[in-house]
Amino acid sequence: MRNRNYISIFFDDEVPLLQAVRKLRESNEIITDVLSPFPVHGLDEALSIKRSRIPVVGFIFGAIGAILAFGFQAWVFTVSYPLIIGGKPFFAAPAFIPITFEVTVLFAGLSMVAAMLIRSKLKPDIRFVPVDKRITDDRFVILVEAADAKTTLEKVTSVLSGIQTIEIR
């Protein structure tokens, strides 16, 4: 974000933010990012952001964990180390359920955390430089990419003429 020019549009409420996002999308402006102090309902639809596939990753790895846990227990108690404990048969599937459930939850949870970190490109060496210190406190900001700063600023100002903004710079 440092090498490009951006126009920052500041708001103090989420309703004008959503109106501005819709108007900017209609006028084919390139919205680089929308920053807010809390999640805004309806912003995903206004920005045309698709649903995340992280739950699919969780389901797939959870199923893999369940198969591995059940298969490992079945192999250990029937092939590798068969013991009759308390009169139960070698392959006692109900006894495998607690471990299978725990490993399923472990695989699903860890895979979703890993997928989120990979998808978000989060690493330990990332340094966040805020556009403005007010963003994290009480301001909503839309960052619009500006090829030609003066022309784009005038166009954005005219598009957002009926919407209550705090500052456009």
Side-chain angles (χ1 to χ4, degrees):
M1 276 205 260
R2 295 177 188 164
N3 298 338
R4 297 181 179 172
N5 293 328
Y6 294 98
I7 296 174
S8 303
I9 309 161
F10 292 84
F11 302 91
D12 62 351
D13 192 27
E14 61 190 62
V15 176
L17 172 81
L18 286 171
Q19 293 171 350
V21 166
R22 289 185 183 109
K23 277 195 171 185
L24 288 169
R25 296 269 304 165
E26 287 171 5
S27 66
N28 296 326
E29 290 294 330
I30 300 171
I31 298 175
T32 306
D33 205 355
V34 177
L35 307 167
S36 69
F38 56 83
V40 177
H41 297 288
L43 189 58
D44 295 346
E45 293 86 19
L47 289 170
S48 300
I49 296 175
K50 297 177 185 174
R51 262 183 79 97
S52 173
R53 293 187 188 146
I54 291 177
V56 174
V57 171
F59 176 76
I60 290 170
F61 279 91
I64 289 170
I67 291 167
L68 287 176
F70 192 85
F72 179 72
Q73 291 178 91
W75 173 74
V76 166
F77 289 116
T78 58
V79 177
S80 177
Y81 199 67
L83 289 176
I84 298 177
I85 300 171
K88 73 173 179 61
F90 293 133
F91 186 74
F96 302 162
I97 290 174
I99 303 284
T100 302
F101 174 76
E102 293 297 332
V103 173
T104 301
V105 171
L106 177 71
F107 272 52
L110 291 178
S111 68
M112 286 193 297
V113 168
M116 190 237 6
L117 291 173
I118 291 168
R119 175 68 179 98
S120 301
K121 298 176 185 169
L122 293 175
K123 317 180 261 195
D125 64 339
I126 289 179
R127 303 284 184 256
F128 176 70
V129 180
V131 177
D132 192 301
K133 293 192 188 279
R134 298 174 292 176
I135 293 170
T136 58
D137 186 25
D138 63 346
R139 295 286 185 255
F140 300 87
V141 178
I142 299 175
L143 296 177
V144 178
E145 190 171 321
D148 179 18
K150 188 172 182 177
T151 310
T152 310
L153 181 63
E154 292 170 359
K155 184 179 177 187
V156 166
T157 306
S158 66
V159 167
L160 300 178
S161 61
I163 299 174
Q164 179 186 2
T165 60
I166 293 177
E167 182 180 356
I168 299 176
R169 60 182 168 122

